Amino acid sequence: MSDTSQILVDTATRLFEETFTPRQLALAETGRWLGTEWQAVEDMGLPLALVPEEAGGFGLPVEEALNLIRLAGAFAVPLPLAETMLANRILASAGLELPGGPVTLAPVRADDRPTLERRDGGWLLSGTAQRVPWGRAAAIMVLAEHDGRTLVALVPAGQAEVTPDINLAYEPRDTLRFETVLPAERVAPSPGVAAADLRRLGAALRCLAMAGALGRILEMTTAYANERSQFGRPIGKFQAIQQHLAVLAGQAAAARAAGDIAAEAVAQGASALPIAAAKVRCGEAAGIAAAIAHQVHGAMGFTHEHSLHFLTKRLWSWRDEFGGEGEWSRLIGREVAQAGADGLWPLVTAA
């Protein structure tokens, strides 16, 4: 990791640790937008970590910049940092002016297909996008079709009809309906990113966030097992608990490796197979690790005062976003079947 990346990660760690306390996380679950906290994140420049230097960003290597998303997952940051980082990168690559503030992505679901058509010297954006993260609070980077081409459109916050919804972790996941005329300068040809690519990139971001959350859950669970005593000794001294912790550590390590694979795939063009494998593995780890963590914590982990549930609820939500294990497993199966027996090993080693 470069000195610049290390400084950025260290500074972000301090910010997240001081800012996103259990009280702030609970406040975010009520639906309140944490504007002051977002401003602190933006003042540090974190939303520009994936933007090239010539476009006003940090110009960090992609794998290093993506460490911020892993870190945000570890602290359950209730803000659209990952979405804004990716949206800003796509907007900058398309040559569009970055809007500042939070920016989210659309479409998220494979069957949502917004369209653009010429209207009054600008562009009419039409269609619906479901389950858009923080759609009610952010500007929206939309990939839309026009005459067989993919275009990038920037929709300012508040210019879409919003039907509010949330995920299991109470993070906004809204349905947006577009019927908006945009000026010509807010639409540009896509820099080689289609809707399917956006779904893969989104899945990679969720892999990294899950890997970060799982690492934090391992730390919390290990610490609790050494603090909580029963029958005169810490419960971490009991063999059954040690076995649980060993399995949890294995799942966290597997998710970290999967996150690394996803980050590398993003840096190299977001090919489908490694991201699919990473999303499947992180999803599996999320289910196993969350169950173990709550078993070790007992009822304590479910209480609103404890921080564990802020992480496990996100794991259960993120594993289904941008495609769950079933969807990505089917993609892997199709790739393997198409490669055939002779092509299996080259397929695995190429991924």
Side-chain angles (χ1 to χ4, degrees):
M1 184 181 292
S2 67
D3 290 345
T4 303
S5 296
Q6 189 62 57
I7 292 170
L8 192 64
V9 167
D10 291 345
T11 309
T13 300
R14 286 195 295 274
L15 174 68
F16 293 165
E17 198 167 30
E18 294 169 0
T19 303
F20 299 108
T21 62
R23 181 176 177 276
Q24 291 304 99
L25 296 178
L27 193 62
E29 288 195 349
T30 66
R32 179 171 168 179
W33 168 250
L34 302 183
T36 302
E37 289 77 5
W38 172 264
Q39 193 59 53
V41 168
E42 189 159 321
D43 288 346
M44 196 175 286
L46 305 186
L48 301 176
L50 280 172
V51 175
E53 201 167 1
E54 59 271 21
F58 283 98
L60 299 176
V62 171
E63 294 100 320
E64 295 183 10
L66 290 175
N67 279 324
L68 291 173
I69 297 174
R70 196 192 306 263
L71 194 60
F75 287 94
V77 172
L79 295 170
L81 175 60
E83 291 81 359
T84 303
M85 286 173 60
L86 179 56
N88 280 341
R89 180 177 177 83
I90 295 173
L91 290 167
S93 299
L96 294 175
E97 184 178 353
L98 304 186
V103 190
T104 189
L105 310 158
V108 171
R109 291 196 164 180
D111 53 352
D112 289 339
R113 299 181 185 282
T115 60
L116 281 161
E117 60 180 84
R118 290 284 187 183
R119 179 71 60 87
D120 301 330
W123 293 90
L124 174 63
L125 175 65
S126 305
T128 300
Q130 306 171 72
R131 307 296 294 173
V132 176
W134 279 275
R136 73 193 70 172
I140 310 142
M141 190 286 299
V142 182
L143 292 181
E145 300 297 319
H146 172 71
D147 283 346
R149 293 189 303 150
T150 300
L151 303 180
V152 179
L154 175 60
V155 182
Q159 290 198 8
E161 181 182 324
V162 179
T163 302
D165 203 351
I166 55 174
N167 64 12
L168 189 62
Y170 297 93
E171 295 176 312
R173 296 294 185 263
D174 305 321
T175 295
L176 304 180
R177 185 175 181 277
F178 303 108
E179 196 68 26
T180 308
V181 176
L182 299 170
E185 60 269 20
R186 287 194 180 143
V187 178
S190 167
V193 181
D197 302 316
L198 186 62
R199 193 165 174 78
R200 287 199 290 271
L201 291 166
L205 299 188
R206 291 295 183 263
C207 287
L208 287 156
M210 283 194 285
L214 284 162
R216 178 69 178 137
I217 285 171
L218 174 62
E219 292 175 4
M220 293 171 64
T221 306
T222 304
Y224 184 79
N226 288 318
E227 293 167 359
R228 174 80 166 91
S229 292
Q230 189 65 272
F231 306 113
R233 56 178 175 163
I235 61 172
K237 298 294 184 184
F238 292 96
Q239 192 172 24
I241 298 296
Q242 290 173 351
Q243 169 66 16
H244 276 316
L245 294 177
V247 174
L248 175 54
Q251 296 300 324
R256 182 173 184 83
D260 291 342
I261 290 171
E264 185 178 342
V266 171
Q268 296 178 357
S271 60
L273 197 58
I275 291 176
K279 191 68 161 58
V280 171
R281 190 63 188 88
C282 285
E284 181 186 7
I288 296 170
I292 291 174
H294 279 290
Q295 286 172 346
V296 173
H297 277 82
M300 181 63 70
F302 286 104
T303 60
H304 210 63
E305 292 76 13
H306 201 279
S307 295
L308 179 63
H309 67 95
F310 292 120
L311 294 163
T312 53
K313 287 186 299 191
R314 281 170 170 76
L315 287 181
W316 292 322
S317 299
W318 292 342
R319 68 183 296 184
D320 290 331
E321 293 181 352
F322 294 100
E325 290 108 284
E327 177 181 332
W328 291 111
S329 295
R330 286 192 293 276
L331 184 146
I332 295 171
R334 286 195 298 272
E335 293 272 345
V336 169
Q338 288 172 6
D342 293 337
L344 178 59
W345 184 244
L347 181 72
V348 171
T349 54

